[in-house]
Amino acid sequence: MTNREDYVSNSDWKKFLEFSKDFETPNIVINLRTVKKNYIKLKDSFPYARIYYAMKANPGEPILRMLAEEGSNFDIASRYELDQILTLKVPPDRLSYGNTIKKAVDIKYFYSKGVRMFATDSKEDLKNIAKYAPGSRVYVRILLESSVTADWPLSRKFGCHPDMAYDLLVLARDMGLTPYGISFHVGSQQRDIGQWNDAIAKTKYLFTSLEEEEDIKLTMINMGGGFPSFYVEPTNDLKEYASEITRYLHDDFGDDIPEIILEPGRSLVGDSGILTTEVVLISRKNNTALCRWVYCDAGKFNGLIETLDESIKYPIVTEKDKPSCREGEVIIAGPTCDSMDIMYETDKYRLPTDLKTGDRLYWLTTGAYTSTYASVGFNGFPPLKTYYME
């Protein structure tokens, strides 16, 4: 049985139940105080770094407004995110176009709005930046091949080999751009802190080589995200990440540490959210089956896509949880007419044996990649409704 108090305090739980009692399911409630607390903790843990919140994790306007007031910068992935953040009067010098996959017309649009910092990992994209965002600062994302210890790996699609990164930064200089730095991402929900060590070592090699051979002095390392939220699988505390990563930086750069940028998403908003679903149906596949199928009114296509391959294991509690309750193994699935809409089948969860249709399941730590990581109208089911609690 999941111990709810490990994730949500009794006071916050009571406040959540009162706040959400009349909401139709499925819905998600974001605790803004938790997001603020996480932001301050990250800032205090890395006092030498600048934070660029990855909007894609949760672009809810109350979250963006609160983080902007706290002084956060923002990592932007599309012109639509750009338009949204600009409506909140965030100046463009606090924005980074961090998507390496972008149209030339969008580069031009970002430049016209005042953005001057761009990520890249390919020659064609770099040429577009030089043409449509002349003089801008560019940083090259390197490919990491050792991020399999992340629950949600981000390698292969993004980044390039360090040798290519070297060539791209030389080309950037030759085309009138400012070679600014190197970025990497060790994978989302990364539980192996040592992955940062390997990435920083590759970055140091590029810094040294470019300065000695091309007289290009890079000044920035963008270490992306990867800091964890508190799901079922255990992780180290953020202070352990900060201590080790800071040591890695000093090991490679001594006291002359470059500018450091962090792009947190999940670690800021993940544990701020509680997703409430209703049990639609409970069934067994034959008369003697021991394992029940529990179907909920939210699934992979309306909020829970990160259960794909059972990658992210959310803590789940019910209204009937108590120390004396009997539990049994279940397969948890969503409501759509798609056979892949199964959240947990291999890694069996255990839920109360007296669970009934109409009961509620509370999915904890669901503040990231849920409310917007959803289809619009598959089987007619709408995206999750999101509410914000102060």
Side-chain angles (χ1 to χ4, degrees), residues 15-16 19-20 23 27-36 53 57-60 62-64 66 268-275 365-371 385-390:
K15 186 176 180 181
F16 157 74
F19 180 79
S20 64
F23 297 160
N27 67 74
I28 186 164
V29 173
I30 301 295
N31 187 333
L32 291 172
R33 290 189 298 112
T34 300
V35 180
K36 183 175 181 177
Y53 172 61
N58 190 323
I63 294 174
L64 301 180
M66 183 270 293
L268 292 191
V269 297
D271 62 356
S272 72
I274 299 175
L275 193 162
T365 320
T366 46
Y369 303 108
T370 47
S371 57
K385 291 182 180 178
T386 305
Y387 303 89
Y388 300 90
M389 184 175 72
E390 296 286 349

Side-chain angles (χ1 to χ4, degrees), residues 37 64 80 177 193 215 317 389:
K37 177 195 71 177
L64 301 180
Y80 310 103
L177 295 166
I193 304 177
D215 198 29
V317 298
M389 184 175 72

Side-chain angles (χ1 to χ4, degrees), residues 24 54 79 90 116 146 161 223 231 308 310 354 366 385:
E24 182 180 358
R79 64 189 300 166
V90 176
R116 296 294 183 269
S146 56
H161 189 277
M223 296 198 296
Y231 297 113
L308 186 68
E310 305 190 19
D354 61 347
T366 46
K385 291 182 180 178

